[in-house]
Coordinates of all heavy atoms in Angstrom, one line a residue:
V22 N -3.5 -24.4 3.7 CA -2.4 -23.5 3.2 C -2.8 -22.0 3.5 O -4.0 -21.6 3.3 CB -2.3 -23.7 1.6 CG1 -1.2 -22.7 1.1 CG2 -1.9 -25.1 1.3
R23 N -1.9 -21.3 4.0 CA -2.1 -19.9 4.3 C -2.2 -19.0 3.0 O -1.6 -19.4 2.0 CB -1.1 -19.3 5.2 CG -1.0 -20.0 6.6 CD 0.1 -19.4 7.4 NE 1.3 -19.1 6.7 CZ 2.1 -18.1 6.8 NH1 1.8 -17.2 7.7 NH2 3.2 -17.9 6.1
V24 N -3.0 -17.9 3.1 CA -3.1 -17.0 1.9 C -1.7 -16.5 1.5 O -1.3 -16.5 0.3 CB -4.0 -15.9 2.2 CG1 -3.9 -14.8 1.1 CG2 -5.4 -16.3 2.4
E25 N -0.9 -16.2 2.5 CA 0.5 -15.7 2.2 C 1.3 -16.7 1.4 O 2.1 -16.3 0.5 CB 1.2 -15.3 3.5 CG 0.7 -14.1 4.2 CD -0.6 -14.4 5.1 OE1 -1.0 -15.5 5.1 OE2 -1.1 -13.4 5.7
D26 N 1.2 -18.0 1.7 CA 1.9 -19.0 1.0 C 1.4 -19.1 -0.4 O 2.2 -19.3 -1.3 CB 1.8 -20.4 1.7 CG 2.4 -20.4 3.1 OD1 3.4 -19.6 3.3 OD2 2.0 -21.1 4.0
K27 N 0.1 -18.9 -0.6 CA -0.4 -19.0 -2.0 C 0.1 -17.8 -2.8 O 0.4 -17.9 -4.0 CB -1.9 -19.1 -2.0 CG -2.4 -20.4 -1.5 CD -3.9 -20.6 -2.0 CE -4.2 -22.0 -1.9 NZ -5.4 -22.4 -2.7
L28 N 0.0 -16.6 -2.2 CA 0.4 -15.4 -2.9 C 1.9 -15.5 -3.3 O 2.3 -15.0 -4.3 CB 0.3 -14.2 -1.9 CG -1.1 -13.7 -1.7 CD1 -1.1 -12.6 -0.6 CD2 -1.8 -13.2 -3.0
Y29 N 2.7 -16.2 -2.5 CA 4.1 -16.3 -2.8 C 4.4 -17.0 -4.1 O 5.4 -16.9 -4.8 CB 4.8 -17.1 -1.7 CG 6.3 -17.1 -1.8 CD1 7.1 -16.0 -1.6 CD2 6.9 -18.3 -2.1 CE1 8.4 -16.0 -1.7 CE2 8.3 -18.4 -2.2 CZ 9.0 -17.3 -2.0 OH 10.4 -17.3 -2.1
Q30 N 3.4 -17.8 -4.6 CA 3.6 -18.5 -5.9 C 3.3 -17.7 -7.1 O 3.7 -18.1 -8.2 CB 2.6 -19.7 -5.9 CG 2.9 -20.7 -4.8 CD 2.0 -21.9 -4.8 OE1 1.2 -22.1 -5.8 NE2 2.0 -22.7 -3.8
N31 N 2.7 -16.5 -6.9 CA 2.5 -15.6 -8.1 C 3.8 -14.9 -8.5 O 4.7 -14.8 -7.8 CB 1.4 -14.6 -7.7 CG 0.1 -15.2 -7.4 OD1 -0.3 -16.2 -8.0 ND2 -0.6 -14.7 -6.3
R32 N 3.8 -14.5 -9.7 CA 4.9 -13.8 -10.3 C 4.5 -12.4 -10.8 O 3.4 -12.2 -11.3 CB 5.5 -14.6 -11.5 CG 6.1 -15.9 -11.0 CD 7.4 -15.7 -10.2 NE 7.9 -16.9 -9.6 CZ 7.6 -17.2 -8.3 NH1 6.9 -16.5 -7.5 NH2 8.1 -18.4 -7.8
Y33 N 5.4 -11.4 -10.6 CA 5.1 -10.1 -10.9 C 6.1 -9.5 -11.9 O 7.3 -9.8 -11.8 CB 5.1 -9.2 -9.7 CG 4.3 -9.6 -8.6 CD1 4.8 -10.5 -7.6 CD2 3.0 -9.2 -8.4 CE1 4.0 -11.0 -6.6 CE2 2.2 -9.7 -7.4 CZ 2.7 -10.6 -6.5 OH 2.0 -11.0 -5.5
Q34 N 5.6 -8.8 -12.9 CA 6.5 -8.1 -13.8 C 6.3 -6.6 -13.5 O 5.2 -6.1 -13.8 CB 6.1 -8.4 -15.3 CG 7.1 -7.9 -16.3 CD 8.4 -8.6 -16.3 OE1 8.5 -9.8 -16.0 NE2 9.5 -7.8 -16.4
V35 N 7.2 -6.0 -12.8 CA 7.0 -4.6 -12.3 C 7.3 -3.7 -13.5 O 8.4 -3.8 -14.1 CB 8.0 -4.4 -11.1 CG1 7.9 -2.9 -10.7 CG2 7.7 -5.3 -10.0
D36 N 6.4 -2.8 -13.7 CA 6.5 -1.7 -14.7 C 7.0 -0.5 -14.0 O 6.3 0.4 -13.5 CB 5.2 -1.5 -15.4 CG 5.3 -0.5 -16.5 OD1 6.4 0.1 -16.7 OD2 4.3 -0.3 -17.2
S37 N 8.3 -0.3 -13.9 CA 8.9 0.8 -13.2 C 8.6 2.1 -13.9 O 8.7 3.2 -13.3 CB 10.4 0.6 -13.0 OG 11.0 0.4 -14.2
G38 N 8.3 2.1 -15.2 CA 8.1 3.3 -15.9 C 6.7 3.9 -15.8 O 6.4 5.0 -16.1
K39 N 5.7 3.1 -15.2 CA 4.4 3.5 -15.1 C 3.7 2.8 -13.9 O 3.3 1.7 -14.0 CB 3.6 3.3 -16.4 CG 2.2 3.9 -16.4 CD 1.6 3.7 -17.8 CE 0.3 4.4 -17.9 NZ -0.8 3.8 -17.2
V40 N 3.6 3.5 -12.8 CA 3.0 3.0 -11.6 C 1.5 2.9 -11.9 O 0.9 3.9 -12.3 CB 3.2 3.8 -10.4 CG1 2.6 3.2 -9.1 CG2 4.7 4.0 -10.2
H41 N 0.8 1.8 -11.6 CA -0.6 1.6 -12.0 C -1.6 2.1 -10.9 O -2.8 2.2 -11.2 CB -0.9 0.2 -12.5 CG -1.0 -0.8 -11.4 ND1 0.1 -1.4 -10.8 CD2 -2.0 -1.5 -10.9 CE1 -0.3 -2.3 -9.9 NE2 -1.6 -2.4 -10.0
I42 N -1.1 2.3 -9.7 CA -2.0 2.9 -8.7 C -1.2 4.1 -8.0 O -0.1 3.9 -7.7 CB -2.3 1.8 -7.6 CG1 -3.0 0.6 -8.2 CG2 -3.3 2.4 -6.6 CD1 -3.2 -0.5 -7.3
K43 N -2.0 5.2 -7.9 CA -1.4 6.3 -7.2 C -2.3 6.8 -6.1 O -3.5 6.8 -6.2 CB -1.2 7.5 -8.2 CG -0.2 7.2 -9.3 CD -0.1 8.4 -10.2 CE 0.9 8.1 -11.4 NZ 0.7 9.0 -12.5
V44 N -1.7 7.2 -5.0 CA -2.4 7.8 -3.9 C -2.4 9.3 -4.0 O -1.3 9.9 -4.2 CB -1.8 7.3 -2.5 CG1 -2.5 8.0 -1.4 CG2 -1.9 5.8 -2.4
R45 N -3.6 9.9 -3.9 CA -3.6 11.4 -4.0 C -2.8 12.0 -2.8 O -2.9 11.4 -1.7 CB -5.1 11.8 -3.9 CG -5.3 13.3 -4.1 CD -6.7 13.7 -3.9 NE -7.2 13.3 -2.6 CZ -8.4 13.5 -2.1 NH1 -9.3 14.1 -2.8 NH2 -8.7 13.2 -0.9
E46 N -2.2 13.1 -3.0 CA -1.4 13.7 -2.0 C -2.4 14.2 -0.8 O -3.5 14.6 -1.1 CB -0.7 15.0 -2.5 CG 0.6 14.6 -3.3 CD 1.4 15.8 -3.7 OE1 1.3 16.8 -2.9 OE2 2.0 15.8 -4.7
H47 N -1.9 14.0 0.4 CA -2.8 14.4 1.5 C -1.9 14.6 2.7 O -0.8 14.2 2.8 CB -3.8 13.2 1.8 CG -3.1 11.9 2.1 ND1 -2.6 11.1 1.1 CD2 -2.8 11.3 3.3 CE1 -2.1 10.0 1.6 NE2 -2.2 10.1 2.9
D48 N -2.5 15.4 3.7 CA -1.8 15.6 4.9 C -2.1 14.5 5.9 O -1.3 13.9 6.5 CB -2.1 17.0 5.5 CG -1.5 18.1 4.6 OD1 -0.4 17.9 4.1 OD2 -2.2 19.2 4.5
K49 N -3.5 14.4 6.1 CA -4.0 13.3 7.0 C -4.8 12.4 6.1 O -5.6 12.8 5.3 CB -4.9 13.9 8.1 CG -4.1 14.5 9.2 CD -5.1 14.8 10.3 CE -4.4 15.1 11.7 NZ -5.3 15.2 12.8
P50 N -4.7 11.1 6.3 CA -5.4 10.2 5.5 C -6.9 10.2 5.8 O -7.4 10.3 7.0 CB -4.9 8.8 5.9 CG -4.1 9.0 7.1 CD -3.7 10.4 7.2
S51 N -7.7 10.1 4.8 CA -9.2 10.1 4.9 C -9.6 8.7 5.4 O -8.8 7.8 5.5 CB -9.8 10.3 3.5 OG -9.4 9.2 2.7
G52 N -10.9 8.5 5.7 CA -11.4 7.2 6.1 C -11.1 6.1 5.1 O -10.6 5.1 5.5
P53 N -11.5 6.4 3.8 CA -11.2 5.3 2.8 C -9.7 5.0 2.8 O -9.3 3.8 2.6 CB -11.7 6.0 1.5 CG -12.7 6.9 2.0 CD -12.3 7.5 3.3
L54 N -8.8 6.0 2.8 CA -7.4 5.7 2.8 C -7.0 4.8 4.0 O -6.2 3.9 3.8 CB -6.6 7.0 2.7 CG -6.3 7.6 1.4 CD1 -5.5 8.9 1.5 CD2 -5.7 6.6 0.4
R55 N -7.5 5.2 5.1 CA -7.1 4.4 6.3 C -7.6 2.9 6.2 O -6.9 2.0 6.6 CB -7.7 5.0 7.6 CG -7.1 6.3 7.9 CD -7.4 6.7 9.4 NE -6.6 5.9 10.3 CZ -5.3 6.1 10.6 NH1 -4.7 7.2 10.1 NH2 -4.7 5.4 11.5
A56 N -8.8 2.8 5.5 CA -9.3 1.4 5.4 C -8.4 0.6 4.5 O -8.3 -0.6 4.7 CB -10.7 1.5 4.7
L57 N -7.7 1.2 3.5 CA -6.9 0.5 2.6 C -5.7 -0.2 3.3 O -5.2 -1.2 2.9 CB -6.3 1.4 1.5 CG -7.4 2.0 0.6 CD1 -6.8 2.9 -0.5 CD2 -8.2 0.8 -0.1
L58 N -5.3 0.3 4.5 CA -4.2 -0.3 5.2 C -4.5 -1.7 5.6 O -3.6 -2.5 5.7 CB -3.9 0.6 6.5 CG -3.4 2.0 6.2 CD1 -3.4 2.8 7.5 CD2 -2.1 2.0 5.5
T59 N -5.8 -2.0 5.8 CA -6.1 -3.4 6.2 C -6.9 -4.1 5.1 O -6.9 -5.3 5.2 CB -6.9 -3.4 7.5 OG1 -8.0 -2.4 7.4 CG2 -6.1 -3.0 8.7
A60 N -7.4 -3.4 4.2 CA -8.3 -4.0 3.2 C -7.5 -4.7 2.1 O -7.9 -5.7 1.5 CB -9.3 -3.0 2.6
C61 N -6.3 -4.2 1.8 CA -5.5 -4.8 0.7 C -5.0 -6.1 1.1 O -4.2 -6.2 2.1 CB -4.4 -3.8 0.3 SG -3.2 -4.6 -0.9
P62 N -5.3 -7.2 0.4 CA -4.8 -8.5 0.8 C -3.3 -8.7 0.6 O -2.7 -9.6 1.2 CB -5.6 -9.5 -0.2 CG -6.0 -8.6 -1.3 CD -6.2 -7.2 -0.8
A63 N -2.7 -7.9 -0.3 CA -1.3 -8.0 -0.5 C -0.5 -7.0 0.4 O 0.7 -6.9 0.2 CB -1.0 -7.8 -2.0
R64 N -1.2 -6.3 1.2 CA -0.5 -5.3 2.1 C 0.3 -4.3 1.4 O 1.5 -4.0 1.8 CB 0.3 -6.1 3.2 CG -0.5 -7.0 4.1 CD -1.2 -6.2 5.1 NE -1.9 -7.1 6.0 CZ -3.2 -7.4 5.9 NH1 -4.0 -6.9 4.9 NH2 -3.8 -8.2 6.8
C65 N -0.2 -3.8 0.3 CA 0.5 -2.8 -0.5 C 0.5 -1.4 0.1 O 1.4 -0.6 -0.2 CB -0.1 -2.7 -1.9 SG 0.2 -4.2 -2.9
Y66 N -0.5 -1.1 1.0 CA -0.6 0.2 1.6 C 0.0 0.2 3.0 O -0.2 -0.7 3.8 CB -2.1 0.6 1.7 CG -2.7 0.8 0.3 CD1 -3.3 -0.2 -0.4 CD2 -2.7 2.1 -0.3 CE1 -3.9 0.0 -1.6 CE2 -3.3 2.3 -1.5 CZ -3.9 1.3 -2.2 OH -4.4 1.5 -3.4
E67 N 0.8 1.3 3.2 CA 1.5 1.5 4.5 C 1.4 2.9 4.9 O 1.3 3.8 4.1 CB 2.9 1.0 4.4 CG 3.1 -0.5 4.3 CD 4.6 -0.8 4.3 OE1 5.4 0.0 3.7 OE2 4.9 -1.9 4.7
L68 N 1.6 3.2 6.2 CA 1.7 4.5 6.7 C 3.2 4.9 6.7 O 4.1 4.1 7.1 CB 1.3 4.6 8.2 CG -0.2 4.8 8.4 CD1 -0.5 4.9 10.0 CD2 -0.8 6.0 7.7
N69 N 3.5 6.1 6.2 CA 4.9 6.5 6.3 C 5.1 7.3 7.6 O 4.2 7.3 8.5 CB 5.3 7.4 5.1 CG 4.5 8.7 5.0 OD1 4.0 9.2 6.0 ND2 4.5 9.4 3.9
D70 N 6.3 7.8 7.8 CA 6.7 8.3 9.1 C 6.0 9.7 9.4 O 6.0 10.2 10.5 CB 8.2 8.5 9.3 CG 8.8 9.2 8.2 OD1 8.1 9.8 7.3 OD2 10.1 9.3 8.2
K71 N 5.3 10.2 8.3 CA 4.5 11.4 8.5 C 3.0 11.1 8.7 O 2.2 12.0 8.8 CB 4.6 12.3 7.3 CG 6.0 12.9 7.0 CD 6.0 13.7 5.8 CE 7.4 14.0 5.3 NZ 7.5 14.3 3.9
G72 N 2.7 9.8 8.8 CA 1.3 9.4 9.0 C 0.5 9.5 7.8 O -0.8 9.4 7.9
Q73 N 1.1 9.5 6.6 CA 0.4 9.5 5.4 C 0.4 8.1 4.8 O 1.3 7.3 5.0 CB 1.0 10.5 4.4 CG 1.0 11.9 4.8 CD 2.1 12.7 4.2 OE1 3.1 12.2 3.7 NE2 1.9 14.0 4.1
V74 N -0.6 7.8 4.0 CA -0.7 6.5 3.4 C 0.0 6.5 2.1 O -0.1 7.3 1.2 CB -2.2 6.1 3.1 CG1 -2.3 4.8 2.4 CG2 -3.0 6.0 4.4
E75 N 0.9 5.5 1.9 CA 1.7 5.3 0.7 C 1.4 3.9 0.1 O 1.0 3.0 0.8 CB 3.2 5.3 1.0 CG 3.7 6.7 1.3 CD 5.2 6.7 1.5 OE1 5.8 5.7 1.8 OE2 5.7 7.8 1.5
I76 N 1.6 3.8 -1.2 CA 1.5 2.5 -1.8 C 2.8 2.0 -2.5 O 3.5 2.8 -3.0 CB 0.3 2.5 -2.8 CG1 0.2 1.1 -3.4 CG2 0.5 3.5 -3.9 CD1 -1.1 0.8 -4.2
T77 N 3.1 0.7 -2.3 CA 4.1 0.1 -3.1 C 3.4 -1.0 -3.9 O 3.0 -2.0 -3.3 CB 5.2 -0.5 -2.2 OG1 5.7 0.5 -1.3 CG2 6.3 -1.1 -3.0
A78 N 3.1 -0.7 -5.1 CA 2.2 -1.5 -5.9 C 2.9 -2.8 -6.6 O 2.2 -3.5 -7.3 CB 1.5 -0.7 -7.0
D79 N 4.2 -3.0 -6.3 CA 4.9 -4.1 -6.9 C 4.2 -5.5 -6.7 O 4.3 -6.3 -7.5 CB 6.3 -4.2 -6.4 CG 7.1 -2.9 -6.7 OD1 6.5 -2.0 -7.3 OD2 8.3 -2.9 -6.4
G80 N 3.6 -5.7 -5.5 CA 3.0 -7.0 -5.2 C 1.5 -7.0 -5.4 O 0.9 -7.9 -4.9
C81 N 1.0 -6.0 -6.1 CA -0.5 -5.9 -6.3 C -1.0 -7.1 -7.1 O -0.5 -7.4 -8.1 CB -0.8 -4.6 -7.0 SG -2.5 -4.5 -7.6
I82 N -2.1 -7.7 -6.6 CA -2.6 -8.9 -7.3 C -3.8 -8.4 -8.2 O -4.6 -9.3 -8.6 CB -3.0 -10.0 -6.3 CG1 -4.0 -9.5 -5.3 CG2 -1.8 -10.6 -5.7 CD1 -4.6 -10.6 -4.4
E83 N -4.0 -7.1 -8.3 CA -5.1 -6.5 -9.2 C -6.5 -7.1 -8.8 O -7.3 -7.4 -9.6 CB -4.8 -6.8 -10.6 CG -3.5 -6.2 -11.1 CD -3.0 -6.7 -12.4 OE1 -3.8 -7.1 -13.3 OE2 -1.7 -6.8 -12.6
C84 N -6.7 -7.1 -7.5 CA -8.0 -7.6 -7.0 C -9.1 -6.6 -7.1 O -10.3 -6.9 -7.2 CB -7.9 -8.1 -5.6 SG -7.7 -6.8 -4.4
G85 N -8.7 -5.3 -7.1 CA -9.7 -4.3 -7.3 C -10.3 -3.7 -6.0 O -11.2 -2.8 -6.0
T86 N -9.9 -4.3 -4.9 CA -10.5 -3.9 -3.6 C -10.3 -2.4 -3.3 O -11.2 -1.6 -3.0 CB -9.9 -4.7 -2.4 OG1 -10.2 -6.1 -2.6 CG2 -10.5 -4.3 -1.1
C87 N -9.1 -1.9 -3.5 CA -8.8 -0.5 -3.3 C -9.5 0.4 -4.3 O -9.8 1.5 -4.0 CB -7.3 -0.3 -3.2 SG -6.4 -0.6 -4.8
R88 N -9.7 -0.2 -5.5 CA -10.4 0.6 -6.5 C -11.8 0.9 -6.0 O -12.3 2.0 -6.2 CB -10.4 -0.2 -7.8 CG -10.9 0.6 -9.0 CD -10.8 -0.1 -10.3 NE -10.9 0.8 -11.4 CZ -10.7 0.5 -12.6 NH1 -10.5 -0.8 -13.0 NH2 -10.8 1.4 -13.6
I89 N -12.4 -0.1 -5.5 CA -13.8 0.1 -5.0 C -13.8 1.1 -3.8 O -14.7 2.0 -3.7 CB -14.4 -1.2 -4.6 CG1 -14.6 -2.1 -5.8 CG2 -15.7 -1.1 -3.8 CD1 -15.0 -3.5 -5.6
I90 N -12.9 0.9 -2.9 CA -12.9 1.8 -1.7 C -12.4 3.2 -1.9 O -12.9 4.1 -1.4 CB -12.0 1.1 -0.6 CG1 -12.6 -0.2 -0.1 CG2 -11.8 2.0 0.6 CD1 -11.7 -1.0 0.8
G91 N -11.3 3.3 -2.7 CA -10.6 4.6 -2.8 C -10.8 5.4 -4.1 O -10.5 6.6 -4.1
E92 N -11.3 4.8 -5.1 CA -11.4 5.6 -6.4 C -12.6 6.5 -6.4 O -12.5 7.7 -6.8 CB -11.4 4.6 -7.6 CG -11.0 5.4 -8.9 CD -11.0 4.4 -10.0 OE1 -11.9 3.6 -10.3 OE2 -10.0 4.4 -10.8
A93 N -13.7 6.1 -5.9 CA -14.9 6.9 -5.9 C -14.7 8.2 -5.1 O -15.2 9.2 -5.4 CB -16.1 6.1 -5.4
S94 N -14.0 8.0 -4.0 CA -13.8 9.2 -3.1 C -12.6 10.1 -3.6 O -12.4 11.1 -3.0 CB -13.4 8.7 -1.7 OG -12.3 7.9 -1.7
G95 N -12.0 9.6 -4.7 CA -10.9 10.4 -5.3 C -9.6 10.3 -4.5 O -8.6 11.0 -4.8
D96 N -9.5 9.3 -3.6 CA -8.3 9.1 -2.8 C -7.2 8.5 -3.6 O -6.0 8.6 -3.3 CB -8.6 8.4 -1.6 CG -9.3 9.2 -0.5 OD1 -8.8 10.3 -0.2 OD2 -10.4 8.8 -0.1
I97 N -7.6 7.6 -4.6 CA -6.5 7.0 -5.4 C -6.9 7.0 -6.8 O -8.1 7.3 -7.2 CB -6.3 5.5 -5.0 CG1 -7.6 4.6 -5.3 CG2 -5.9 5.3 -3.5 CD1 -7.3 3.1 -5.3
E98 N -5.9 6.8 -7.7 CA -6.1 6.7 -9.1 C -5.7 5.3 -9.5 O -4.6 4.8 -9.1 CB -5.1 7.7 -9.8 CG -5.6 8.3 -11.0 CD -4.5 9.3 -11.5 OE1 -4.4 10.4 -10.9 OE2 -3.8 8.9 -12.5
W99 N -6.5 4.6 -10.2 CA -6.3 3.1 -10.4 C -6.4 2.8 -11.9 O -7.4 3.1 -12.5 CB -7.3 2.3 -9.7 CG -7.0 0.9 -9.3 CD1 -6.7 0.4 -8.1 CD2 -7.1 -0.2 -10.2 NE1 -6.5 -0.9 -8.1 CE2 -6.8 -1.4 -9.4 CE3 -7.4 -0.4 -11.5 CZ2 -6.8 -2.7 -10.0 CZ3 -7.4 -1.7 -12.1 CH2 -7.1 -2.8 -11.3
N100 N -5.4 2.2 -12.4 CA -5.4 1.7 -13.8 C -4.8 0.3 -13.9 O -3.9 0.0 -13.1 CB -4.5 2.6 -14.7 CG -5.2 4.0 -14.8 OD1 -6.2 4.2 -15.5 ND2 -4.5 5.0 -14.2
Y101 N -5.2 -0.5 -14.8 CA -4.5 -1.8 -15.0 C -3.1 -1.5 -15.5 O -2.8 -0.6 -16.2 CB -5.2 -2.7 -16.0 CG -6.4 -3.4 -15.4 CD1 -7.7 -3.0 -15.7 CD2 -6.2 -4.5 -14.6 CE1 -8.8 -3.6 -15.2 CE2 -7.3 -5.1 -14.0 CZ -8.6 -4.7 -14.3 OH -9.7 -5.4 -13.8
P102 N -2.2 -2.4 -15.1 CA -0.8 -2.3 -15.6 C -0.8 -2.4 -17.2 O -1.8 -3.0 -17.7 CB -0.1 -3.5 -15.0 CG -0.9 -3.9 -13.8 CD -2.3 -3.5 -14.2
R103 N 0.2 -1.9 -17.8 CA 0.3 -2.0 -19.3 C 0.4 -3.5 -19.6 O 0.9 -4.3 -18.8 CB 1.5 -1.3 -19.8 CG 1.4 0.2 -19.6 CD 2.5 1.0 -20.3 NE 3.8 0.8 -19.6 CZ 4.9 1.4 -20.0 NH1 4.9 2.2 -21.1 NH2 6.0 1.3 -19.4
G104 N 0.2 -3.8 -20.9 CA 0.3 -5.2 -21.3 C 1.7 -5.8 -21.1 O 2.6 -5.1 -21.3
G105 N 1.7 -7.0 -20.6 CA 3.0 -7.6 -20.3 C 3.5 -7.4 -18.9 O 4.5 -8.0 -18.5
Y106 N 2.9 -6.4 -18.2 CA 3.3 -6.1 -16.8 C 2.2 -6.6 -15.9 O 1.1 -6.9 -16.3 CB 3.6 -4.6 -16.7 CG 4.7 -4.1 -17.5 CD1 4.5 -3.5 -18.6 CD2 6.0 -4.4 -17.0 CE1 5.6 -3.0 -19.4 CE2 7.1 -3.9 -17.7 CZ 6.9 -3.2 -18.9 OH 8.0 -2.8 -19.6
G107 N 2.5 -6.6 -14.6 CA 1.6 -6.9 -13.6 C 1.7 -8.4 -13.1 O 2.8 -9.0 -13.3
I108 N 0.7 -8.9 -12.6 CA 0.7 -10.2 -12.0 C 0.5 -11.4 -13.0 O -0.3 -11.2 -13.9 CB -0.2 -10.3 -10.8 CG1 0.0 -11.6 -10.0 CG2 -1.7 -10.2 -11.3 CD1 -0.7 -11.6 -8.7
S109 N 1.2 -12.5 -12.7 CA 0.8 -13.7 -13.4 C 0.5 -14.7 -12.3 O 1.3 -15.0 -11.4 CB 2.0 -14.3 -14.2 OG 2.4 -13.4 -15.2
F110 N -0.8 -15.2 -12.4 CA -1.2 -16.1 -11.3 C -0.8 -17.5 -11.6 O -0.7 -18.0 -12.8 CB -2.7 -16.1 -11.2 CG -3.3 -14.8 -10.6 CD1 -3.8 -13.8 -11.5 CD2 -3.2 -14.6 -9.3 CE1 -4.3 -12.6 -11.0 CE2 -3.7 -13.4 -8.7 CZ -4.2 -12.4 -9.6
K111 N -0.4 -18.2 -10.6 CA -0.1 -19.7 -10.7 C -1.2 -20.4 -10.0 O -1.5 -20.2 -8.9 CB 1.2 -20.0 -10.1 CG 1.6 -21.5 -10.2 CD 2.9 -21.8 -9.6 CE 3.2 -23.2 -9.8 NZ 4.4 -23.6 -9.1
F112 N -1.9 -21.3 -10.8 CA -3.0 -22.1 -10.2 C -2.6 -23.5 -10.0 O -1.7 -24.0 -10.6 CB -4.2 -22.0 -11.2 CG -4.8 -20.7 -11.4 CD1 -4.5 -19.9 -12.5 CD2 -5.6 -20.1 -10.4 CE1 -5.0 -18.7 -12.7 CE2 -6.1 -18.8 -10.6 CZ -5.8 -18.1 -11.7
G113 N -3.2 -24.1 -9.0 CA -2.9 -25.5 -8.7 C -1.8 -25.7 -7.7 O -1.3 -24.8 -7.2
Ligands
LIG201 FE1 -4.1 -4.3 -3.0 FE2 -6.0 -5.3 -4.5 FE3 -5.5 -2.7 -4.5 FE4 -3.7 -4.3 -5.6 S1 -5.9 -3.9 -6.3 S2 -3.3 -2.6 -4.2 S3 -3.9 -6.1 -4.2 S4 -6.3 -3.9 -2.8

């Protein structure tokens, strides 16, 4: 089974009132920000038409990869979603 097929079974409760991951404003992406484009397993990070890294956190599986890569460098701000929001994993 492909990872994408397994991810499809998860369910998300999107908290539109409070985004749980933010990317710091930038003109050109730093090394850590560029790494997030390929490191996020849910492909939440993308380049916009200005060449800046953006996040759409709706499909985030809260794995913490981007937190390790981008938080220490100050490139992103990472918080868990509020209670009742975020991902619900389906096992089996
Ligand atoms: Fe992607 Fe994981 Fe970061 Fe969520 S926590 S945006 S899934 S790298």
